[in-house]
Amino acid sequence: MSGTIAATCGCGHHKPGCFVKENRVSGSGLTNSPFLLGFDELERVMDAVAKSGNNGYPPYNIEELDSHHLRISLAVAGFSQDELDVTVKDNQLVIHGRQDDDDQRTYLYRGIAARQFQRRFVLADGITVTGAHLDNGLLHVDLARPEPESVVRSIKIETAPAAPRSVVPQNRSRQGDPKQEV
């Protein structure tokens, strides 16, 4: 039901010409308040995160280095630098690992399988990836988050132009006498 639009007006009185034309129904319930305007993209991101269904591999940590820097560390033991990709597209950080089976080896027992994975992290607007490095089986992805700007803008309230007065014609009788009432 997420993202659907109910056919009734949002105010409940259902009068013709009602100001409220549609009532957005949210599956998450986060954006269905009349005070949250323009958060449709946030709802879409929340739905995508809920549906991503990451299986827990590889395990990761998210560390706050200071008030403006974060680090995501993934346990990728056994992966070389050439087998890992880090990309950012549409505010999504995607970390992809792929290992190919080595057909040249003969295993008596194989407890470490060649695996592939993909981890997605949704980045807030303004967060940038500053670098990535592989160190002792951990892939570290460094992020920077900007100082939030506190912007206060005053909006001028203008006076609406005066509506033209309509002239109401006087009641006149059929005989044309303005003093005679009907």
Side-chain angles (χ1 to χ4, degrees), residues 11-157:
C11 62
H13 60 65
H14 310 289
K15 292 181 181 176
C18 175
F19 180 78
V20 182
K21 297 294 183 192
E22 63 186 24
N23 181 21
R24 191 164 282 284
V25 179
S26 168
S28 63
L30 294 175
T31 60
N32 61 359
S33 169
F35 300 109
L36 297 175
L37 303 174
F39 286 92
D40 296 338
E41 180 66 16
L42 175 64
E43 182 177 6
R44 186 191 65 75
V45 168
M46 296 293 284
D47 287 344
V49 169
K51 292 177 185 176
S52 67
N54 285 327
N55 62 1
Y57 179 78
Y60 65 93
N61 291 334
I62 301 175
E63 179 183 1
E64 184 176 48
L65 302 176
D66 60 39
S67 62
H68 301 294
H69 296 91
L70 303 170
R71 175 175 286 162
I72 300 173
S73 299
L74 288 90
V76 292
F79 284 86
S80 69
Q81 185 174 340
D82 295 336
E83 296 171 324
L84 297 167
D85 287 318
V86 179
T87 59
V88 176
K89 181 180 180 186
D90 298 330
N91 285 0
Q92 283 197 12
L93 169 64
V94 180
I95 303 168
H96 186 255
R98 69 201 166 293
Q99 288 181 322
D100 295 324
D101 280 332
D102 187 0
D103 294 336
Q104 304 298 322
R105 293 184 178 183
T106 303
Y107 294 97
L108 299 178
Y109 172 80
R110 185 162 185 186
I112 304 172
R115 287 181 86 161
Q116 295 190 24
F117 71 88
Q118 182 171 305
R119 275 276 183 203
R120 293 181 177 270
F121 299 90
V122 178
L123 304 177
D125 288 336
I127 291 188
T128 58
V129 176
T130 59
H133 64 277
L134 191 58
D135 181 33
N136 293 325
L138 293 175
L139 174 64
H140 301 288
V141 180
D142 293 326
L143 309 169
R145 76 176 144 194
E147 178 85 25
E149 294 180 17
S150 177
V151 178
V152 177
R153 193 177 78 160
S154 182
I155 309 299
K156 181 181 176 185
I157 301 173

